[in-house]
């Protein structure tokens, strides 16, 4: 599944797993860097979902106040 198709919940869950693996340590430098990069991508996916949700809420509020 591509990152763009991940739901917020899927991205958040995978991000939590990545953070947990990084916190445990014991990975090689290369593995740690790959995990970090994956975490950055997942954090971006989560942020896009949250930004979209914020925009939808603001639009709904604006529509309601225009009534």
């Amino acid at each position: 599944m591509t990152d763009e198709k991940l739901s917020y919940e899927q991205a958040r869950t995978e991000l939590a797993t990545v953070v947990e693996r990084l916190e445990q340590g014991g990975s090689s430098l290369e593995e740690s860097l790959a995990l970090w990069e994956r975490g950055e991508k997942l954090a971006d996916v989560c942020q896009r979902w949250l930004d979209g949700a914020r925009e939808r809420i603001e639009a709904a509020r604006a529509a309601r106040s225009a009534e």
Side-chain angles (χ1 to χ4, degrees):
M1 181 177 295
T2 64
D3 291 342
E4 294 80 29
K5 301 230 185 234
L6 289 174
S7 70
Y8 172 79
E9 292 79 7
Q10 290 168 321
R12 185 191 64 213
T13 299
E14 187 178 344
L15 179 57
T17 301
V18 166
V19 169
E20 183 178 318
R21 288 182 61 194
L22 284 168
E23 288 176 341
Q24 288 175 353
S27 299
S28 69
L29 178 59
E30 189 62 35
E31 291 170 329
S32 294
L33 287 172
L35 285 168
W36 179 268
E37 290 169 344
R38 181 64 182 153
E40 288 290 325
K41 289 179 183 177
L42 292 165
D44 287 344
V45 170
C46 289
Q47 190 61 55
R48 284 194 303 270
W49 274 106
L50 292 172
D51 290 344
R54 185 177 300 114
E55 289 172 11
R56 289 174 61 188
I57 290 169
E58 289 171 2
R61 285 181 176 164
R64 187 175 66 194
S65 65
E67 292 178 353

